Amino acid sequence: MSVSLVQKYNVPGPRYTSYPTVPYWDEASFSDNQWKETFIRSFNESNATEGISLYIHLPFCESLCTFCGCHKRITKRHEVENPYIEAVLKEWQLYCDLFPAKPLIKEIHLGGGTPTFFSPEHLEQLITGILSKAEKATEYEFSFEGHPNNTTREHLQKLYNLGFRRVSFGVQDYSEKVQIAIHRHQPFHNVAKVTFWAKEIGYTSISHDLVFGLPFQTLDNVIDTIEKTNSLSPNRLAFYSYAHVPWIKGNGQRGFKDEDVPKDDEKRKLYEVGKTLLAKKGYHEIGMDHFALEDDAMYHAFKAGKLHRNFMGYTASKTQLMIGLGVSSISDSWYAFAQNEKELETYYARLAQNELPVYRGHVLTEEDLIIRRHILNLMCQFNTSWQNDDLYFEELPEVLEQLHEMELDGLLQIKPNGLVVTEKGKAFVRNICMAFDLRLKRKTPQTQLFSMTV
């Protein structure tokens, strides 16, 4: 990896879990009625053939991890569990009342927060309540995020019995110094224990989430973490770049200084060395910051050109309609995005009024839909094409002109009707997507909104 390229292209940029990105949503022209119209349209177009996805946000954590930028509520009071489960089930009922037919569920993902903050009994109450209003697709995938410190064998067995076959364990880094800095005290023994339990019970896809670029993290730390991870052989893993965004209110990124965080070439080397060690173990790089063994569904999806990316990250299958349940969740009807209330009390109050708790959103224009497809292609397959007229847009010549310098730097190849990201360019795929991001180009942010791209 060229030192000069990292320094040249390491700028603030979106991670493109959506397009348009959230700061560029046209909230002023969005309405609850528009959201209802778009998700009903999407339901009618896709429910019978592919089903829908559910993302359920479970926001509670017993302690604050200071690397985390997610929406969460810190508490040790577990009496909050039942009211929250009942609220989510009421929200689901409000959607079911609007659906023209019984929903067919292809995917459920429990995210957080810490889903395993909830007792196995309450998680069973949640899932059985969801499924009582729906049918499962023939090839469904249910997954959840587990904290190695509080995921019990009972959690794993109960969710397995309910149809869950994929679990993701948050690891981050095994260095004690790094763990102290990010307030995530988690010994290797705990991760190994829950990984072995999941294998014994029969989970077919076990994932570990690792993070590079954390405060005080060194190359030796990354090597040690990767070697320990390799010894457990998870089916897939994410090796995320730490998004240092301390200016965002409430994200908890405190307890260390900016100079404690690896940057630029030092940070990128952590990833490159980690990737090399993973490749030796048989892991293939999938999309951006993700890896999978050849027996995993994500690898097969990538090879078949079916990998998808949404607010849950990369997924091996896609649905046109994804409903987000719970506080701060984001829904995606393909034609529009909608985000729920971020404050728990407001979320409860809206549901008490029998209202969908949506507080902002965006209806995609025809141009948005075209750009969204290009960015999805680049993020998921490292190429895109405008051979068909429905993927051509007026500003394409200007976009290609902007990409010319990246082509000279060997990051991509521009062809007559498309472009391909090179192996060298995969590290800069966010930068390549930014060239297509017309909303970002038309309104350059005056303050920093995004983490660094490399």
Side-chain angles (χ1 to χ4, degrees), residues 225-421:
T225 295
I226 296 291
E227 288 178 344
K228 284 184 167 72
T229 301
N230 282 342
S231 74
L232 299 178
S233 296
N235 305 83
R236 68 174 74 164
L237 56 92
F239 190 27
Y240 291 112
S241 168
Y242 166 56
H244 189 52
V245 287
W247 57 86
I248 296 179
K249 181 181 177 182
N251 72 2
Q253 291 183 344
R254 302 291 182 270
F256 48 86
K257 301 173 184 175
D258 285 353
E259 55 264 34
D260 299 327
V261 179
K263 296 179 181 65
D264 295 334
D265 310 300
E266 178 190 5
K267 179 181 178 182
R268 191 65 201 176
K269 188 175 181 181
L270 301 178
Y271 181 80
E272 296 297 332
V273 170
K275 181 174 76 168
T276 300
L277 292 173
L278 290 169
K280 289 179 180 178
K281 183 67 176 179
Y283 289 96
H284 296 265
E285 190 174 21
I286 307 294
M288 180 181 73
D289 300 345
H290 284 65
F291 297 82
L293 296 173
E294 290 186 5
D295 64 354
D296 191 78
M298 185 171 282
Y299 174 79
H300 296 300
F302 178 70
K303 295 297 286 185
K306 295 180 179 179
L307 191 69
H308 185 56
R309 185 171 173 84
N310 56 28
F311 287 102
M312 297 186 288
Y314 284 107
T315 175
S317 60
K318 69 170 285 291
T319 60
Q320 184 171 309
L321 177 60
M322 183 185 80
I323 298 294
L325 301 176
V327 64
S328 81
S329 282
I330 299 178
S331 299
D332 176 2
S333 68
W334 183 257
Y335 305 110
F337 302 119
Q339 183 171 23
N340 280 353
E341 298 284 357
K342 287 187 173 183
E343 294 301 322
L344 193 58
E345 293 73 19
T346 312
Y347 172 75
Y348 286 154
R350 293 283 302 277
L351 289 170
Q353 298 296 318
N354 293 315
E355 300 174 1
L356 289 179
V358 169
Y359 91 102
R360 67 173 176 177
H362 175 85
V363 177
L364 282 79
T365 65
E366 289 300 317
E367 179 188 86
D368 289 339
L369 290 167
I370 293 172
I371 301 302
R372 181 182 190 185
R373 288 171 67 186
H374 282 298
I375 287 177
L376 273 174
N377 290 342
L378 290 166
M379 296 296 289
C380 295
Q381 303 301 328
F382 295 121
N383 64 72
T384 193
S385 168
W386 44 88
Q387 187 167 356
N388 298 329
D389 289 343
D390 60 345
L391 281 177
Y392 187 86
F393 56 100
E394 188 176 343
E395 289 86 347
L396 182 61
E398 289 82 0
V399 170
L400 296 181
E401 185 177 343
Q402 184 180 343
L403 289 170
H404 179 63
E405 189 170 355
M406 291 189 188
E407 185 176 34
L408 293 177
D409 285 332
L411 307 185
L412 54 90
Q413 294 175 348
I414 298 175
K415 300 179 180 296
N417 294 306
L419 69 83
V420 177
V421 181

Side-chain angles (χ1 to χ4, degrees), residues 12-30 311 330 336-339 359-365 367-369 371 375 433-434 436-451:
R15 295 204 172 196
Y16 293 110
T17 49
S18 76
Y19 181 83
T21 57
V22 176
Y24 288 90
W25 285 2
D26 183 4
E27 298 178 32
S29 62
F30 177 83
F311 287 102
I330 299 178
F337 302 119
Q339 183 171 23
Y359 91 102
R360 67 173 176 177
H362 175 85
V363 177
L364 282 79
T365 65
E367 179 188 86
D368 289 339
L369 290 167
I371 301 302
I375 287 177
C433 290
M434 286 169 67
F436 284 83
D437 190 337
L438 300 183
R439 287 183 177 268
L440 178 65
K441 287 197 281 192
R442 289 168 186 159
K443 188 180 179 183
T444 304
Q446 300 304 304
T447 58
Q448 190 165 353
L449 298 175
F450 306 110
S451 61

